[in-house]
Coordinates of all heavy atoms in Angstrom, one line a residue:
M22 N 0.8 -1.1 0.0 CA 0.0 0.0 0.0 C 0.9 1.2 0.0 O 2.0 1.3 0.6 CB -1.0 -0.1 1.2 CG -1.0 1.1 2.1 SD -2.3 0.9 3.3 CE -1.3 1.2 4.8
Y23 N 0.4 2.3 -0.7 CA 1.2 3.5 -0.8 C 0.4 4.7 -0.2 O -0.9 4.7 -0.2 CB 1.4 3.8 -2.3 CG 2.3 2.8 -2.9 CD1 1.7 1.7 -3.6 CD2 3.7 2.9 -3.0 CE1 2.5 0.7 -4.2 CE2 4.5 1.8 -3.5 CZ 3.8 0.8 -4.1 OH 4.6 -0.2 -4.6
V24 N 1.1 5.6 0.4 CA 0.5 6.7 1.1 C 1.2 8.0 0.7 O 2.4 8.0 0.2 CB 0.4 6.6 2.6 CG1 -0.4 5.5 3.1 CG2 1.8 6.5 3.1
I25 N 0.6 9.1 0.9 CA 1.2 10.4 0.6 C 1.4 11.1 2.0 O 0.4 11.2 2.7 CB 0.3 11.4 -0.3 CG1 0.1 10.7 -1.6 CG2 0.9 12.8 -0.4 CD1 -0.9 11.5 -2.5
L26 N 2.6 11.4 2.3 CA 3.0 11.9 3.6 C 3.4 13.4 3.4 O 4.0 13.7 2.4 CB 4.2 11.2 4.2 CG 3.9 9.7 4.4 CD1 5.2 9.0 4.9 CD2 2.7 9.4 5.3
T27 N 3.1 14.3 4.4 CA 3.3 15.7 4.2 C 4.2 16.2 5.4 O 4.1 15.8 6.5 CB 2.0 16.4 4.3 OG1 1.1 15.9 3.4 CG2 2.2 17.9 4.1
T28 N 5.1 17.1 5.0 CA 5.9 17.9 6.0 C 5.7 19.4 5.6 O 5.8 19.7 4.4 CB 7.3 17.5 5.9 OG1 7.5 16.1 6.4 CG2 8.2 18.4 6.7
K29 N 5.4 20.2 6.6 CA 5.3 21.6 6.4 C 6.2 22.4 7.2 O 6.3 22.2 8.4 CB 3.8 22.1 6.7 CG 2.8 21.5 5.9 CD 1.4 22.0 6.1 CE 1.2 23.4 5.4 NZ -0.1 23.9 5.6
P30 N 7.2 23.0 6.5 CA 8.3 23.7 7.2 C 7.8 24.7 8.3 O 6.7 25.3 8.1 CB 9.0 24.5 6.2 CG 8.7 23.8 4.9 CD 7.3 23.3 5.1
D31 N 8.4 24.6 9.5 CA 8.0 25.5 10.6 C 6.7 25.1 11.3 O 6.2 25.8 12.1 CB 8.1 27.0 10.3 CG 9.4 27.4 9.7 OD1 10.5 27.0 10.3 OD2 9.5 28.2 8.8
E32 N 6.1 24.0 10.8 CA 4.9 23.6 11.4 C 5.0 22.1 11.9 O 4.8 21.9 13.1 CB 3.7 23.6 10.4 CG 3.3 25.1 10.1 CD 2.0 25.1 9.3 OE1 1.1 24.3 9.4 OE2 2.1 26.0 8.3
F33 N 5.2 21.2 11.1 CA 5.3 19.8 11.5 C 6.1 19.0 10.4 O 6.3 19.4 9.3 CB 4.0 19.1 11.7 CG 3.2 19.0 10.5 CD1 3.3 17.9 9.7 CD2 2.3 20.0 10.1 CE1 2.5 17.8 8.5 CE2 1.5 19.9 9.0 CZ 1.6 18.7 8.2
R34 N 6.7 17.8 10.9 CA 7.4 17.0 10.0 C 7.0 15.5 10.2 O 6.5 15.2 11.3 CB 8.9 17.1 10.2 CG 9.4 16.6 11.5 CD 10.9 17.0 11.7 NE 11.5 16.5 12.9 CZ 11.3 17.0 14.1 NH1 10.6 18.1 14.2 NH2 11.8 16.6 15.2
T35 N 6.9 14.8 9.1 CA 6.6 13.5 9.1 C 7.8 12.6 9.2 O 8.7 12.8 8.3 CB 5.6 13.0 7.9 OG1 4.5 13.9 8.0 CG2 5.2 11.7 8.0
I36 N 7.9 11.7 10.1 CA 9.1 10.8 10.2 C 8.7 9.4 9.7 O 7.7 8.8 10.2 CB 9.5 10.8 11.6 CG1 9.9 12.1 12.2 CG2 10.8 9.8 11.8 CD1 10.2 12.3 13.6
M37 N 9.5 9.0 8.8 CA 9.3 7.6 8.2 C 10.2 6.6 9.0 O 11.4 6.7 8.9 CB 9.6 7.6 6.7 CG 8.6 8.4 5.9 SD 9.0 8.2 4.2 CE 10.6 8.7 4.0
G38 N 9.6 5.8 9.8 CA 10.3 4.9 10.6 C 10.5 3.5 9.8 O 10.3 3.4 8.7
D39 N 10.8 2.5 10.7 CA 10.9 1.2 10.1 C 9.6 0.8 9.5 O 8.5 1.0 10.0 CB 11.3 0.2 11.2 CG 12.6 0.4 11.8 OD1 13.5 1.1 11.1 OD2 12.9 0.0 13.0
G40 N 9.7 0.1 8.3 CA 8.5 -0.4 7.7 C 7.9 0.6 6.7 O 6.9 0.3 6.1
V41 N 8.4 1.8 6.6 CA 7.9 2.8 5.7 C 9.1 3.1 4.7 O 10.2 3.5 5.1 CB 7.5 4.1 6.4 CG1 7.0 5.1 5.5 CG2 6.5 3.8 7.5
V42 N 8.9 3.0 3.4 CA 9.9 3.1 2.4 C 9.5 4.3 1.5 O 8.5 4.3 0.9 CB 10.0 1.8 1.5 CG1 11.0 1.9 0.5 CG2 10.3 0.6 2.4
L43 N 10.5 5.2 1.4 CA 10.4 6.4 0.6 C 10.4 5.9 -0.9 O 11.4 5.2 -1.3 CB 11.4 7.4 0.9 CG 11.4 8.7 0.0 CD1 11.8 9.8 0.9 CD2 12.3 8.6 -1.2
I44 N 9.4 6.4 -1.7 CA 9.4 6.1 -3.1 C 9.9 7.3 -3.9 O 10.8 7.2 -4.7 CB 8.1 5.6 -3.6 CG1 7.6 4.4 -2.8 CG2 8.0 5.4 -5.1 CD1 8.4 3.1 -3.0
E45 N 9.2 8.5 -3.6 CA 9.6 9.7 -4.3 C 9.1 10.8 -3.5 O 8.2 10.7 -2.7 CB 9.1 9.7 -5.7 CG 7.6 9.5 -5.9 CD 7.3 9.2 -7.3 OE1 8.0 8.5 -8.0 OE2 6.2 9.7 -7.8
S46 N 9.8 12.0 -3.6 CA 9.5 13.2 -2.8 C 9.4 14.4 -3.6 O 10.3 14.6 -4.6 CB 10.5 13.2 -1.7 OG 10.1 14.3 -0.7
Y47 N 8.5 15.3 -3.3 CA 8.4 16.5 -4.1 C 8.2 17.8 -3.1 O 7.5 17.7 -2.1 CB 7.1 16.5 -4.9 CG 7.1 15.4 -5.9 CD1 6.5 14.1 -5.6 CD2 7.6 15.6 -7.2 CE1 6.5 13.1 -6.5 CE2 7.6 14.5 -8.1 CZ 7.0 13.3 -7.7 OH 7.0 12.2 -8.6
D48 N 8.9 18.9 -3.5 CA 8.6 20.1 -2.8 C 7.5 20.8 -3.5 O 7.4 20.8 -4.7 CB 9.8 21.0 -2.9 CG 10.9 20.7 -1.9 OD1 10.6 19.9 -0.9 OD2 12.1 21.1 -2.2
Y49 N 6.5 21.3 -2.7 CA 5.4 22.0 -3.2 C 5.6 23.5 -3.2 O 5.9 24.1 -2.1 CB 4.2 21.7 -2.3 CG 2.9 22.4 -2.6 CD1 2.2 22.2 -3.8 CD2 2.4 23.5 -1.7 CE1 1.0 22.9 -4.1 CE2 1.2 24.1 -2.0 CZ 0.5 23.8 -3.2 OH -0.7 24.5 -3.4
I50 N 5.8 24.1 -4.4 CA 6.1 25.5 -4.6 C 4.9 26.2 -4.9 O 4.3 26.0 -6.0 CB 7.2 25.6 -5.7 CG1 8.4 24.7 -5.4 CG2 7.7 27.1 -5.7 CD1 9.2 24.8 -4.1
F51 N 4.5 27.2 -4.1 CA 3.3 28.0 -4.3 C 3.7 29.4 -4.5 O 4.2 30.0 -3.6 CB 2.4 27.8 -3.1 CG 1.1 28.5 -3.2 CD1 0.0 28.0 -4.0 CD2 0.9 29.7 -2.6 CE1 -1.2 28.6 -4.1 CE2 -0.4 30.4 -2.6 CZ -1.3 29.8 -3.4
Y52 N 3.5 29.9 -5.7 CA 4.0 31.3 -6.1 C 5.4 31.5 -5.7 O 5.7 32.6 -5.0 CB 3.0 32.3 -5.5 CG 1.7 32.4 -6.3 CD1 0.7 31.5 -5.8 CD2 1.5 33.2 -7.4 CE1 -0.5 31.6 -6.6 CE2 0.4 33.2 -8.1 CZ -0.7 32.4 -7.7 OH -1.9 32.4 -8.4
G53 N 6.3 30.6 -6.0 CA 7.7 30.8 -5.8 C 8.3 30.4 -4.4 O 9.4 30.5 -4.2
R54 N 7.3 30.1 -3.5 CA 7.8 29.8 -2.1 C 7.4 28.3 -1.8 O 6.3 27.9 -2.0 CB 7.1 30.7 -1.2 CG 7.4 30.6 0.2 CD 6.9 31.8 1.1 NE 7.1 31.5 2.4 CZ 6.3 31.8 3.4 NH1 5.2 32.5 3.2 NH2 6.6 31.5 4.7
K55 N 8.4 27.6 -1.2 CA 8.2 26.3 -0.7 C 7.2 26.3 0.4 O 7.5 26.9 1.4 CB 9.5 25.6 -0.3 CG 9.3 24.2 0.2 CD 10.6 23.5 0.6 CE 10.3 22.2 1.3 NZ 11.6 21.6 1.7
R56 N 6.1 25.6 0.3 CA 5.1 25.6 1.4 C 5.0 24.2 2.0 O 4.5 24.2 3.2 CB 3.7 26.0 0.8 CG 3.7 27.3 0.1 CD 4.0 28.4 0.9 NE 2.8 28.7 1.7 CZ 2.6 29.8 2.4 NH1 3.6 30.7 2.4 NH2 1.5 30.0 3.0
A57 N 5.5 23.2 1.3 CA 5.3 21.8 1.9 C 6.3 20.9 1.1 O 6.8 21.2 0.1 CB 3.9 21.3 1.9
N58 N 6.4 19.6 1.7 CA 7.0 18.6 1.0 C 6.1 17.4 1.1 O 5.5 17.1 2.1 CB 8.4 18.2 1.7 CG 9.0 17.0 1.0 OD1 8.7 15.9 1.5 ND2 9.8 17.2 0.1
F59 N 5.9 16.8 -0.1 CA 5.0 15.6 -0.1 C 5.9 14.4 -0.5 O 6.7 14.5 -1.4 CB 3.9 15.8 -1.2 CG 3.0 16.9 -0.9 CD1 3.0 18.1 -1.5 CD2 2.0 16.7 0.1 CE1 2.1 19.1 -1.2 CE2 1.1 17.7 0.5 CZ 1.1 18.9 -0.2
T60 N 5.7 13.3 0.2 CA 6.4 12.1 -0.1 C 5.5 10.9 -0.4 O 4.5 10.8 0.5 CB 7.3 11.7 1.1 OG1 8.3 12.8 1.3 CG2 8.0 10.4 0.9
I61 N 5.7 10.3 -1.4 CA 4.9 9.0 -1.7 C 5.8 7.9 -1.1 O 7.0 7.8 -1.3 CB 4.7 8.8 -3.1 CG1 3.9 9.9 -3.8 CG2 4.1 7.4 -3.4 CD1 3.7 9.8 -5.2
A62 N 5.1 7.2 -0.2 CA 5.8 6.1 0.6 C 5.1 4.8 0.5 O 3.8 4.8 0.3 CB 6.1 6.5 2.0
E63 N 5.8 3.7 0.6 CA 5.2 2.4 0.6 C 5.2 1.9 2.1 O 6.2 2.0 2.8 CB 5.9 1.4 -0.2 CG 5.3 0.0 -0.3 CD 6.0 -0.9 -1.2 OE1 7.1 -0.6 -1.6 OE2 5.3 -1.9 -1.5
I64 N 4.1 1.5 2.5 CA 3.9 0.9 3.9 C 4.1 -0.6 3.7 O 3.4 -1.3 3.2 CB 2.5 1.2 4.5 CG1 2.2 2.7 4.5 CG2 2.5 0.6 5.9 CD1 3.1 3.6 5.3
V65 N 5.3 -1.0 4.2 CA 5.7 -2.4 4.1 C 5.4 -3.2 5.4 O 4.7 -4.2 5.3 CB 7.2 -2.5 3.7 CG1 7.7 -4.0 3.7 CG2 7.6 -1.8 2.5
D66 N 5.8 -2.6 6.5 CA 5.5 -3.4 7.7 C 5.5 -2.3 8.9 O 6.4 -2.3 9.7 CB 6.5 -4.4 8.0 CG 6.2 -5.2 9.1 OD1 5.0 -5.4 9.5 OD2 7.2 -5.7 9.8
A67 N 4.5 -1.4 8.8 CA 4.5 -0.4 9.9 C 2.9 -0.3 10.4 O 2.1 -0.5 9.5 CB 4.9 0.9 9.4
D68 N 2.8 0.0 11.6 CA 1.5 0.2 12.1 C 1.1 1.7 12.2 O 0.0 2.0 12.2 CB 1.4 -0.4 13.5 CG 1.5 -2.0 13.5 OD1 1.0 -2.5 12.5 OD2 2.0 -2.5 14.5
R69 N 2.1 2.5 12.5 CA 1.9 3.9 12.7 C 3.0 4.8 12.0 O 4.1 4.3 11.8 CB 2.0 4.2 14.2 CG 0.9 3.5 15.0 CD 0.9 3.8 16.4 NE -0.2 3.1 17.1 CZ -1.4 3.6 17.3 NH1 -1.6 4.9 16.9 NH2 -2.4 3.0 17.9
I70 N 2.6 6.0 11.8 CA 3.5 7.1 11.2 C 3.6 8.1 12.3 O 2.6 8.6 12.9 CB 2.8 7.7 9.9 CG1 2.6 6.6 8.8 CG2 3.7 8.8 9.3 CD1 3.8 6.1 8.1
T71 N 4.8 8.6 12.4 CA 5.1 9.7 13.4 C 5.1 11.0 12.8 O 5.8 11.2 11.9 CB 6.5 9.4 14.1 OG1 6.4 8.0 14.7 CG2 6.7 10.4 15.3
I72 N 4.3 11.9 13.5 CA 4.3 13.3 13.1 C 4.7 14.1 14.3 O 4.2 14.0 15.4 CB 2.9 13.7 12.6 CG1 2.5 12.9 11.4 CG2 2.8 15.2 12.3 CD1 1.1 13.0 11.0
V73 N 5.7 15.0 14.1 CA 6.3 15.8 15.2 C 6.0 17.3 14.9 O 6.5 17.8 13.8 CB 7.8 15.5 15.4 CG1 8.3 16.3 16.5 CG2 8.0 14.1 15.6
E74 N 5.5 18.1 15.8 CA 5.3 19.5 15.6 C 6.7 20.2 15.8 O 7.5 19.8 16.7 CB 4.3 20.0 16.7 CG 3.0 19.6 16.4 CD 2.0 20.2 17.4 OE1 2.3 21.1 18.3 OE2 0.8 19.9 17.3
D75 N 7.0 21.2 15.0 CA 8.2 21.9 15.1 C 8.3 22.9 16.2 O 9.4 23.2 16.7 CB 8.4 22.7 13.7 CG 8.8 21.7 12.6 OD1 9.2 20.5 12.8 OD2 8.7 22.1 11.4
E76 N 7.2 23.4 16.6 CA 7.2 24.4 17.7 C 7.2 23.7 19.1 O 6.5 22.6 19.2 CB 6.0 25.4 17.6 CG 6.1 26.2 16.3 CD 7.2 27.2 16.4 OE1 7.5 27.8 17.5 OE2 7.9 27.5 15.4
P77 N 7.8 24.3 20.2 CA 7.7 23.7 21.5 C 6.2 23.6 21.8 O 5.4 24.5 21.5 CB 8.4 24.7 22.4 CG 9.4 25.3 21.4 CD 8.7 25.4 20.1
P78 N 5.8 22.6 22.5 CA 6.5 21.6 23.2 C 6.8 20.4 22.3 O 7.1 19.3 22.8 CB 5.6 21.2 24.3 CG 4.2 21.3 23.8 CD 4.3 22.5 22.8
H79 N 6.8 20.5 21.0 CA 7.2 19.4 20.0 C 6.4 18.2 20.3 O 6.9 17.1 20.5 CB 8.7 19.1 20.1 CG 9.6 20.3 19.9 ND1 9.7 20.9 18.7 CD2 10.4 21.0 20.8 CE1 10.5 21.9 18.8 NE2 11.0 22.0 20.1
I80 N 5.1 18.4 20.1 CA 4.2 17.3 20.3 C 4.4 16.2 19.3 O 4.5 16.5 18.1 CB 2.7 17.7 20.4 CG1 2.5 18.7 21.5 CG2 1.7 16.6 20.4 CD1 1.2 19.4 21.5
V81 N 4.4 14.9 19.8 CA 4.6 13.8 18.9 C 3.3 13.0 18.8 O 2.7 12.7 19.8 CB 5.7 12.9 19.5 CG1 5.8 11.6 18.6 CG2 7.0 13.6 19.6
N82 N 2.9 12.8 17.6 CA 1.7 12.0 17.3 C 2.0 10.8 16.5 O 2.8 10.9 15.5 CB 0.7 12.9 16.5 CG 0.2 14.0 17.2 OD1 -0.6 13.9 18.2 ND2 0.4 15.3 16.7
K83 N 1.6 9.7 17.0 CA 1.8 8.4 16.2 C 0.5 8.0 15.6 O -0.4 7.5 16.4 CB 2.4 7.3 17.2 CG 3.8 7.7 17.6 CD 4.5 6.6 18.5 CE 5.8 7.1 18.9 NZ 6.8 6.8 18.0
V84 N 0.3 8.3 14.3 CA -0.9 8.1 13.7 C -1.0 6.7 13.1 O -0.1 6.3 12.3 CB -1.1 9.1 12.6 CG1 -2.5 9.0 11.9 CG2 -1.0 10.6 13.2
P85 N -2.1 6.0 13.2 CA -2.2 4.6 12.7 C -2.2 4.8 11.1 O -2.9 5.7 10.6 CB -3.6 4.1 13.2 CG -3.9 4.9 14.4 CD -3.2 6.3 14.2
C86 N -1.5 3.9 10.5 CA -1.4 3.9 9.0 C -2.7 3.8 8.4 O -2.9 4.4 7.3 CB -0.5 2.8 8.5 SG 1.2 3.0 8.9
K87 N -3.7 3.1 9.0 CA -5.0 2.9 8.4 C -5.8 4.3 8.3 O -6.7 4.4 7.6 CB -5.8 2.0 9.1 CG -6.2 2.4 10.6 CD -6.9 1.3 11.3 CE -7.3 1.7 12.7 NZ -8.0 0.7 13.3
M88 N -5.3 5.4 9.0 CA -6.0 6.7 8.9 C -5.5 7.5 7.7 O -6.2 8.4 7.4 CB -5.6 7.5 10.2 CG -6.0 6.8 11.5 SD -7.8 6.5 11.6 CE -8.4 8.3 11.8
F89 N -4.5 7.0 7.0 CA -4.0 7.7 5.8 C -4.7 7.1 4.6 O -5.0 5.9 4.5 CB -2.5 7.5 5.6 CG -1.7 8.3 6.6 CD1 -1.4 7.7 7.8 CD2 -1.2 9.5 6.2 CE1 -0.6 8.4 8.7 CE2 -0.4 10.2 7.2 CZ -0.1 9.7 8.4
E90 N -5.1 8.0 3.7 CA -5.7 7.5 2.4 C -4.6 6.6 1.7 O -3.4 7.0 1.7 CB -6.1 8.6 1.5 CG -6.7 8.0 0.2 CD -7.3 9.2 -0.6 OE1 -7.1 10.4 -0.3 OE2 -7.9 8.8 -1.7
S91 N -5.0 5.3 1.3 CA -4.0 4.5 0.7 C -4.2 4.2 -0.8 O -5.4 4.4 -1.2 CB -3.8 3.2 1.5 OG -5.0 2.5 1.4
F92 N -3.2 3.9 -1.5 CA -3.3 3.7 -2.9 C -2.7 2.3 -3.2 O -1.7 1.9 -2.6 CB -2.6 4.8 -3.7 CG -3.1 6.2 -3.3 CD1 -2.5 6.8 -2.2 CD2 -4.3 6.7 -3.9 CE1 -3.0 8.1 -1.9 CE2 -4.8 7.9 -3.5 CZ -4.1 8.6 -2.5
D93 N -3.2 1.6 -4.2 CA -2.7 0.3 -4.6 C -1.4 0.4 -5.4 O -0.6 -0.5 -5.4 CB -3.7 -0.5 -5.4 CG -4.8 -0.8 -4.6 OD1 -4.7 -1.1 -3.4 OD2 -6.0 -0.9 -5.1
T94 N -1.2 1.5 -6.1 CA 0.0 1.7 -7.0 C 0.6 3.1 -6.8 O -0.2 4.0 -6.4 CB -0.4 1.5 -8.5 OG1 -1.2 2.6 -8.9 CG2 -1.0 0.2 -8.7
V95 N 1.9 3.3 -7.1 CA 2.5 4.5 -7.1 C 1.8 5.5 -8.1 O 1.7 6.7 -7.8 CB 4.0 4.4 -7.5 CG1 4.6 5.8 -7.7 CG2 4.7 3.6 -6.4
E96 N 1.4 5.0 -9.2 CA 0.7 5.8 -10.2 C -0.6 6.5 -9.7 O -0.9 7.6 -9.9 CB 0.4 5.0 -11.5 CG 1.6 4.6 -12.3 CD 2.4 3.5 -11.7 OE1 1.9 2.7 -10.9 OE2 3.6 3.4 -12.0
E97 N -1.3 5.6 -8.8 CA -2.6 6.2 -8.3 C -2.2 7.3 -7.2 O -2.9 8.3 -7.2 CB -3.3 5.1 -7.5 CG -4.0 4.1 -8.5 CD -4.7 3.0 -7.7 OE1 -4.7 3.0 -6.5 OE2 -5.2 2.0 -8.5
A98 N -1.1 7.1 -6.5 CA -0.7 8.1 -5.5 C -0.3 9.4 -6.2 O -0.6 10.5 -5.8 CB 0.4 7.5 -4.6
R99 N 0.5 9.3 -7.3 CA 0.9 10.4 -8.1 C -0.3 11.2 -8.7 O -0.3 12.4 -8.6 CB 1.7 10.0 -9.3 CG 3.2 9.7 -9.0 CD 3.9 9.4 -10.2 NE 5.2 8.7 -9.9 CZ 5.6 7.5 -10.5 NH1 4.9 7.0 -11.5 NH2 6.7 7.0 -10.1
A100 N -1.3 10.5 -9.2 CA -2.5 11.1 -9.7 C -3.2 11.9 -8.6 O -3.6 13.0 -8.8 CB -3.4 10.1 -10.3
E101 N -3.4 11.3 -7.4 CA -4.0 11.9 -6.3 C -3.2 13.2 -5.9 O -3.8 14.3 -5.6 CB -4.2 11.0 -5.1 CG -4.9 11.7 -4.0 CD -6.3 12.1 -4.3 OE1 -6.9 11.7 -5.3 OE2 -6.9 12.9 -3.5
L102 N -1.9 13.1 -5.8 CA -1.1 14.2 -5.5 C -1.3 15.4 -6.5 O -1.3 16.6 -6.1 CB 0.4 13.8 -5.4 CG 1.4 14.8 -4.9 CD1 1.0 15.4 -3.5 CD2 2.8 14.3 -4.9
N103 N -1.4 15.0 -7.7 CA -1.6 16.1 -8.8 C -2.9 16.8 -8.6 O -3.0 18.0 -8.7 CB -1.5 15.4 -10.2 CG -1.5 16.5 -11.2 OD1 -0.7 17.4 -11.2 ND2 -2.3 16.3 -12.2
V104 N -3.9 16.0 -8.2 CA -5.3 16.6 -8.0 C -5.2 17.5 -6.7 O -5.8 18.6 -6.7 CB -6.3 15.5 -7.7 CG1 -7.6 16.1 -7.2 CG2 -6.6 14.8 -9.0
L105 N -4.5 17.1 -5.7 CA -4.4 17.8 -4.4 C -3.7 19.1 -4.6 O -4.0 20.1 -3.8 CB -3.7 17.0 -3.4 CG -4.6 15.7 -2.8 CD1 -3.7 14.9 -1.9 CD2 -5.8 16.2 -2.1
T106 N -2.8 19.2 -5.4 CA -1.7 20.3 -5.5 C -1.9 21.2 -6.7 O -1.1 22.2 -6.8 CB -0.3 19.8 -5.5 OG1 -0.1 18.9 -6.6 CG2 0.0 19.1 -4.2
H107 N -3.0 21.1 -7.4 CA -3.2 22.0 -8.6 C -4.6 22.5 -8.6 O -5.5 21.7 -8.3 CB -2.8 21.3 -9.9 CG -1.4 21.0 -10.1 ND1 -0.7 19.9 -9.6 CD2 -0.4 21.8 -10.6 CE1 0.5 20.0 -9.9 NE2 0.8 21.1 -10.4
F108 N -4.7 23.8 -8.9 CA -6.0 24.4 -9.0 C -6.0 25.5 -10.0 O -5.3 26.5 -9.9 CB -6.4 25.0 -7.6 CG -7.8 25.5 -7.6 CD1 -8.9 24.7 -7.5 CD2 -8.0 26.9 -7.7 CE1 -10.2 25.2 -7.5 CE2 -9.3 27.4 -7.6 CZ -10.4 26.6 -7.6
G109 N -6.8 25.3 -11.1 CA -6.9 26.3 -12.1 C -5.6 26.8 -12.7 O -4.7 26.0 -12.9
S110 N -5.3 28.0 -12.7 CA -4.2 28.6 -13.3 C -3.2 29.2 -12.3 O -2.4 30.0 -12.6 CB -4.5 29.7 -14.3 OG -5.2 30.7 -13.7
M111 N -3.4 28.8 -11.0 CA -2.5 29.3 -9.9 C -1.0 28.8 -10.3 O -0.8 27.8 -10.9 CB -2.9 28.7 -8.6 CG -4.3 29.2 -8.2 SD -4.9 28.6 -6.7 CE -4.1 29.8 -5.6
D112 N -0.1 29.7 -9.7 CA 1.4 29.4 -9.9 C 1.8 28.4 -9.0 O 2.3 28.7 -7.9 CB 2.1 30.7 -9.8 CG 3.6 30.5 -10.0 OD1 4.1 29.4 -10.5 OD2 4.3 31.5 -9.7
I113 N 1.7 27.1 -9.3 CA 2.0 26.0 -8.4 C 3.0 25.0 -9.2 O 2.7 24.7 -10.3 CB 0.8 25.2 -8.0 CG1 -0.2 26.2 -7.2 CG2 1.1 24.0 -7.2 CD1 -1.5 25.6 -6.9
E114 N 4.0 24.6 -8.4 CA 4.9 23.6 -9.0 C 5.2 22.5 -8.0 O 5.3 22.7 -6.8 CB 6.2 24.3 -9.4 CG 7.3 23.4 -9.9 CD 8.6 24.2 -10.1 OE1 8.8 25.3 -9.8 OE2 9.6 23.5 -10.5
L115 N 5.3 21.2 -8.5 CA 5.8 20.1 -7.7 C 7.2 19.8 -8.3 O 7.3 19.5 -9.4 CB 4.9 18.9 -7.9 CG 3.6 18.8 -7.1 CD1 2.9 17.5 -7.4 CD2 3.9 18.9 -5.6
R116 N 8.1 20.1 -7.4 CA 9.5 19.9 -7.8 C 10.1 18.7 -7.2 O 10.2 18.6 -5.9 CB 10.4 21.2 -7.3 CG 11.8 21.2 -7.9 CD 12.5 22.5 -7.5 NE 11.7 23.7 -8.0 CZ 11.8 24.9 -7.5 NH1 12.6 25.1 -6.4 NH2 11.2 25.9 -8.1
A117 N 10.5 17.7 -8.1 CA 11.1 16.4 -7.5 C 12.4 16.8 -6.7 O 13.2 17.6 -7.0 CB 11.5 15.5 -8.6
V118 N 12.5 16.1 -5.5 CA 13.6 16.2 -4.7 C 14.5 15.0 -4.8 O 14.0 13.9 -4.8 CB 13.1 16.4 -3.2 CG1 14.3 16.5 -2.2 CG2 12.2 17.6 -3.1

């Protein structure tokens, strides 16, 4: 199963632990400014994904993998990421990292 994980600078970061394999990663550029990073990852053998807030008190959330929308293929995840990150003629770019 594949999922889309998000990290937003100065807000929170998603940590891929054991059993989560990075497939590809993109910076989300909105009107010339990086606003987020999206990672397509494969869940191989993990029960939870860790999300850590950047600001004190650095709250740690361990979210069950079943809470994330999942996709059967990388292509399905890419298509969903494209839908999520584009709107009309706005100046938006997904830049491969």
Side-chain angles (χ1 to χ4, degrees):
M22 129 172 124
Y23 298 90
V24 294
I25 299 171
L26 304 176
T27 306
T28 293
K29 292 183 87 175
D31 300 324
E32 290 185 39
F33 65 89
R34 65 188 181 283
T35 303
I36 299 172
M37 293 186 301
D39 294 336
V41 181
V42 178
L43 182 141
I44 302 299
E45 52 196 40
S46 189
Y47 300 91
D48 284 340
Y49 174 70
I50 311 299
F51 184 78
Y52 285 91
R54 185 170 169 211
K55 178 181 172 180
R56 304 297 279 196
N58 174 272
F59 294 107
T60 298
I61 296 174
E63 182 178 15
I64 305 298
V65 177
D66 186 30
D68 294 328
R69 296 180 180 269
I70 302 287
T71 303
I72 300 172
V73 180
E74 291 184 1
D75 287 342
E76 294 290 323
H79 304 290
I80 295 170
V81 176
N82 294 295
K83 293 186 181 276
V84 182
C86 291
K87 66 182 180 181
M88 299 300 289
F89 289 85
E90 183 174 3
S91 63
F92 307 92
D93 293 328
T94 67
V95 173
E96 291 76 20
E97 289 176 4
R99 282 185 197 130
E101 181 65 14
L102 185 56
N103 191 48
V104 168
L105 290 171
T106 59
H107 290 89
F108 184 77
S110 62
M111 297 179 87
D112 181 13
I113 298 170
E114 177 187 358
L115 280 180
R116 187 176 300 157
V118 179

